[in-house]
Amino acid sequence: MPALKPTDYFAEVLWLGRVADSVEDLRAEPMDSMVLSYEGVEGDCHAGLTRPSCSRVKAQHPRGTEIANVRQLSILSAEELEEISDAMGIEEFDPAWVGATMILKGIPDFTHVPPSSRLQADSGATLVVDMVNRPCVLPGRVIEKEEPGKGKAFKTASEGKRGVTAWVEREGAVKVGDILRLHIPDQRAWAEAG
C-alpha cells in the first residue's frame, strides 16, 4: 500500500535561483532551468549530501556537526511572498532577495504542507519537504539594500509564510513553467501535537 497520496494540487514553477555564498550575500542568481542531483543544485552553497548542523537543529546536534543535508533547497509560494511584500509595503519583491531556490504558484497554505510531502515534476525530479523554513534576519539585510528602511520588517512579515526547505529524492531537470504535483503522507496528524 502506498505511503504517499497524490493530491489534486499542482504548482507552477515561476522562478528558479541559486545562491553562491549565503554568508557573503544571500541574494540568489536567477535561472531558467536547473538540474537537481542528489546533492541539490550544482553551484549552490546549500548543495551537498551532508552539511554542518546549524541553529535549526541545535537541540539535536552541536553546531557544526556533520549531518545529512535535508536543507538543499528553499522553496517559497508566490502567493505567500506577495503577502509578505504587501505587509512590508514593497511593490516589486524580487525572489532573489530571500535566497530562494524555487518559487511556486498554486498550492494554498504552502508553508504548512506536511513534512515528507513530495513535489514531483514531469521529468521525474522529486523533492521531499523537510520542514518550515523559519524567518531569519539574512533576507532583511538584502532587502534593506534594495528597499532602505524596510529590511527589518521581513522577519515579522514572513512569519508562517517563509516556505519550506527540501532535498532531492529523485534527480531530474526542472525549468520555469514546469508543473509540480504535491504528494502527501497517508497518515493522520499526530494526536499529541498541540
Side-chain angles (χ1 to χ4, degrees):
M1 170 182 276
L4 293 159
K5 298 186 301 189
T7 71
D8 291 331
Y9 290 98
F10 295 85
E12 180 182 0
V13 177
L14 296 184
W15 193 91
L16 296 168
R18 172 178 53 206
V19 177
D21 183 352
S22 62
V23 174
E24 194 64 35
D25 185 0
L26 184 66
R27 186 184 317 266
E29 163 198 355
M31 303 172 70
D32 294 325
S33 64
M34 60 178 49
V35 175
L36 299 168
S37 76
Y38 292 124
E39 293 193 8
V41 179
E42 185 178 343
D44 191 280
C45 65
H46 295 104
L49 293 175
T50 63
R51 70 179 181 93
S53 63
C54 63
S55 62
R56 296 164 48 86
V57 291
K58 68 182 178 185
Q60 292 76 43
H61 311 286
R63 186 182 285 273
T65 303
E66 186 174 4
I67 60 174
N69 187 6
V70 295
R71 197 256 170 268
Q72 295 172 338
L73 296 97
S74 174
I75 308 172
L76 289 89
S77 150
E79 294 88 346
E80 291 173 341
L81 199 55
E82 186 174 338
E83 290 176 27
I84 294 168
S85 178
D86 289 347
M88 295 177 69
I90 297 175
E91 198 168 313
E92 300 252 348
F93 197 104
D94 186 345
W97 299 347
V98 294
T101 310
M102 192 176 288
I103 303 295
L104 302 178
K105 180 179 182 176
I107 298 176
D109 196 26
F110 178 73
T111 293
H112 299 101
V113 297
S116 290
S117 293
R118 269 49 171 192
L119 294 163
Q120 191 168 52
D122 286 341
S123 70
T126 306
L127 303 173
V128 179
V129 172
D130 178 45
M131 66 173 69
V132 168
N133 193 8
R134 299 203 184 269
C136 70
V137 297
L138 295 177
R141 294 176 187 161
V142 177
I143 294 165
E144 188 63 28
K145 290 178 186 174
E146 300 296 328
E147 296 278 339
K150 297 189 177 178
K152 287 183 181 178
F154 177 77
K155 192 170 178 180
T156 301
S158 64
E159 187 67 41
K161 299 177 182 129
R162 182 69 170 89
V164 299
T165 58
W167 54 276
V168 177
E169 179 177 58
R170 180 175 169 191
E171 296 180 316
V174 176
K175 65 183 182 313
V176 172
D178 278 358
I179 303 297
L180 306 183
R181 186 173 194 177
L182 177 67
H183 302 250
I184 60 172
D186 185 20
Q187 67 185 53
R188 66 167 174 76
W190 186 40
E192 300 301 313

